[in-house]
């Protein structure tokens, strides 16, 4: 049997990783400034994280949600404390797409409506409703397209208000900072008006923090930069540092009932151990402080590079935009300079999503390699 060929692959085979360094089967070391789509939050093979998972495996890896699991309670309490959302409730699942599916489902149960408002260049996952609210026709199959979704541009609140006034919108779903779409984001004025409009029209405001959450933006959640509250927050990626963990944080306005939501693998003992370890390390190492310090350093250091159109994003969720397609530049960085970066729908943008443990010296390495690569491509 062969693998279903849906991923274009670089000829690189990682066999070991430590913090922000990936080592391949030939012994070549790579600086990881992409974290596998922003998944690695506390660094590869972080010792406390590894120890906690190994210890949990020695006891119990999985049982269903039909029994008591104190690890779920511990995870919820720690997440509430670190995020500042202690009055929210937690539903655990296994991925960002599953989190967004459950967020949309809960919204529809809550107000009995079905149309969704999403935004241009959004990405929310590859399953049923999650992919229907993703602005990429190439990955939306006809069976997904049955969902009724209206896509609008960011930062045009009058267009949103006109749609909500029609009375059939169940939810507005928006990323704290767009990921795949290219690091665009709503303004504070837009987010605040959006929250107000959703309350006025009994529409659920869903903040997709799957990539922008868990301290990556410089605050625990990116929407917290704007002084608003969300009805439902979806999380995943950095939540498990590579272990498949997802969740939605649910505001007090929603009432639970048996069977309303469910999952087989979500909230397993092993996934909770991973989630707890991540939160413990974020707190122990004060990684949000590091995010903000390295962000400020990055903004200054990147000024040394000529030809940059703009730097987008916040914290360690960044995009470096040029006025040309960066595919060749990105390939040179990984093959010749041994630095991982990411791409976006915006073909002129390099995505920078390092582990939250990244150091200023790593930024120096990147800027030096970027300057060299740009010069080499010019000649």
């Amino acid at each position: 049997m062969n693998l279903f060929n849906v991923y274009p692959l670089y000829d690189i085979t990682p066999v070991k990783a430590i913090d922000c360094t990936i080592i391949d089967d030939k012994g070549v070391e790579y600086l990881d400034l992409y974290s596998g789509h922003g998944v690695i939050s506390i660094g590869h093979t972080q010792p406390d994280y590894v120890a906690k998972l190994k210890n949990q495996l020695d006891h119990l890896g999985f049982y269903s949600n039909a029994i008591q699991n104190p690890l779920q309670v511990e995870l919820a309490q720690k997440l509430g404390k670190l995020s500042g959302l202690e009055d929210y409730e937690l539903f655990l699942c296994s991925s960002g797409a599953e989190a967004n599916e459950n967020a949309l489902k809960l919204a529809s149960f809550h107000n009995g409506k079905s149309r969704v408002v999403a935004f241009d260049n959004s990405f929310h996952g590859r399953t049923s409703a999650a992919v229907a609210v993703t602005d990429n026709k190439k990955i939306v199959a006809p069976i997904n397209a049955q969902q009724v979704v209206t896509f609008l541009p960011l930062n045009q609140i009058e267009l949103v208000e006109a749609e909500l006034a029609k009375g059939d919108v169940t939810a507005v779903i928006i990323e704290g900072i767009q990921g795949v779409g290219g690091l665009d984001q709503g303004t504070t004025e837009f987010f605040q008006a959006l929250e107000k409009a959703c309350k006025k029209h009994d529409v659920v405001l869903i903040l997709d923090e799957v990539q922008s959450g868990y301290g990556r933006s410089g605050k625990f959640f990116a929407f917290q930069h704007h002084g608003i509250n969300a009805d439902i927050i979806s999380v995943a990626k950095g939540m498990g540092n590579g272990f498949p963990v997802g969740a939605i944080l649910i505001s007090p306005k929603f009432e639970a009932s048996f069977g309303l939501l469910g999952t087989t693998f979500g909230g397993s003992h092993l996934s909770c151990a991973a989630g707890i370890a991540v939160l413990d390390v974020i707190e122990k190492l004060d990684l949000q402080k590091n995010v903000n310090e390295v962000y400020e350093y990055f903004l200054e250091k990147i000024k040394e590079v000529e030809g940059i159109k703009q730097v987008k994003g916040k914290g360690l969720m960044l995009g470096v935009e040029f006025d040309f397609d960066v595919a060749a530049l990105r390939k040179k960085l990984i093959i010749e300079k041994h630095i991982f970066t990411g791409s976006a729908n915006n073909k002129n943008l390099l995505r920078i999503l390092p582990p939250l443990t990244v150091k200023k010296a790593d930024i120096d390495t990147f800027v030096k390699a970027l300057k060299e690569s740009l010069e080499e491509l010019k000649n």
Side-chain angles (χ1 to χ4, degrees):
M1 182 184 291
N2 294 319
L3 294 174
F4 198 47
N5 190 21
V6 293
Y7 301 118
L9 302 176
Y10 284 104
D11 188 19
I12 298 169
T13 306
V15 295
K16 177 68 176 172
I18 303 169
D19 198 17
C20 298
T21 301
I22 293 173
I23 306 163
D24 73 8
D25 56 351
K26 300 177 180 65
V28 177
E29 295 188 0
Y30 297 80
L31 174 60
D32 185 9
L33 297 184
Y34 190 55
S35 305
H37 309 303
V39 167
I40 301 300
S41 50
I42 59 171
H44 293 279
T45 60
Q46 201 282 336
D48 296 344
Y49 172 87
V50 172
K52 193 163 187 71
L53 265 69
K54 283 181 176 178
N55 180 65
Q56 188 59 48
L57 272 172
D58 284 337
H59 290 83
L60 178 64
F62 171 83
Y63 206 74
S64 78
N65 284 303
I67 45 80
Q68 298 288 329
N69 184 346
L71 292 174
Q72 292 184 355
V73 177
E74 183 181 353
L75 176 56
Q77 290 175 343
K78 288 189 173 183
L79 178 53
K81 179 185 173 186
L82 260 67
S83 67
L85 301 174
E86 292 181 277
D87 60 336
Y88 281 58
E89 294 182 316
L90 187 68
F91 174 79
L92 291 158
C93 54
S94 301
S95 71
E98 190 183 358
N100 283 328
E101 290 287 343
N102 281 288
L104 292 163
K105 182 178 182 180
L106 185 58
S108 190
F109 270 134
H110 176 73
N111 55 27
K113 299 183 281 189
S114 60
R115 184 161 67 101
V116 180
V117 168
F119 294 91
D120 295 346
N121 290 318
S122 59
F123 187 93
H124 298 290
R126 292 179 178 268
T127 58
S128 190
V131 78
V133 297
T134 291
D135 185 23
N136 184 345
K137 290 183 173 61
K138 292 180 180 178
I139 65 172
V140 180
I143 195 169
N144 308 124
Q146 296 178 83
Q147 307 279 350
V148 183
V149 182
T150 301
F151 290 97
L152 299 173
L154 281 171
N155 296 320
Q156 295 191 32
I157 191 62
E158 67 281 358
L159 297 181
V160 179
E161 289 174 335
E163 294 301 324
L164 302 195
K166 295 176 182 178
D168 62 337
V169 174
T170 181
V172 172
I173 185 167
I174 184 171
E175 292 158 275
I177 302 171
Q178 289 191 337
V180 174
L183 284 298
D184 290 319
Q185 57 189 305
T187 63
T188 293
E189 181 183 22
F190 178 74
F191 271 111
Q192 291 180 354
L194 183 61
E195 178 189 27
K196 185 177 179 181
C198 285
K199 286 180 179 176
K200 177 181 177 181
H201 295 285
D202 187 27
V203 172
V204 175
L205 178 57
I206 301 171
L207 258 296
D208 181 339
E209 295 276 357
V210 167
Q211 189 168 108
S212 57
Y214 264 69
R216 182 159 291 282
S217 75
K219 290 187 179 290
F220 198 90
F221 291 122
F223 76 84
Q224 291 172 326
H225 287 280
H226 307 295
I228 66 165
N229 293 307
D231 294 316
I232 305 174
I233 304 153
S234 55
V235 294
K237 295 193 185 298
M239 186 177 187
N241 202 50
F243 197 97
V245 189
I248 52 176
L249 284 66
I250 304 164
S251 74
K253 72 187 289 180
F254 297 90
E255 186 176 344
S257 61
F258 292 151
L260 186 70
L261 304 176
T263 177
T264 297
F265 296 106
S268 72
H269 296 74
L270 197 55
S271 68
C272 285
I276 291 166
V278 166
L279 292 171
D280 284 346
V281 172
I282 287 174
E283 187 172 29
K284 175 184 175 181
L285 301 183
D286 199 2
L287 290 184
Q288 281 196 230
K289 180 182 178 184
N290 187 63
V291 169
N292 287 306
E293 289 179 353
V294 176
Y295 172 48
E296 294 300 325
Y297 186 77
F298 184 95
L299 292 180
E300 286 302 312
K301 192 71 180 176
I302 203 70
K303 291 176 182 177
E304 297 177 10
V305 183
E306 294 181 2
I308 292 175
K309 184 179 176 182
Q310 64 177 322
V311 176
K312 302 169 74 174
K314 282 188 176 76
L316 294 178
M317 187 172 177
L318 299 169
V320 180
E321 187 175 21
F322 297 86
D323 60 2
F324 59 87
D325 189 317
V326 299
L329 174 60
R330 183 170 173 248
K331 185 175 182 180
K332 179 178 274 288
L333 283 169
I334 190 170
I335 300 300
E336 298 179 22
K337 309 299 181 182
H338 304 140
I339 298 175
F340 283 105
T341 63
S343 61
N345 289 347
N346 178 349
K347 301 304 180 187
N348 295 351
L349 190 95
L350 282 177
R351 273 203 293 164
I352 311 298
L353 299 166
L356 308 187
T357 54
V358 69
K359 297 174 177 61
K360 293 176 183 177
D362 299 321
I363 304 306
D364 292 340
T365 299
F366 168 66
V367 169
K368 181 176 181 290
L370 184 58
K371 288 192 286 189
E372 291 174 353
S373 298
L374 288 166
E375 189 63 31
E376 290 162 10
L377 286 169
K378 196 184 298 180
N379 299 328

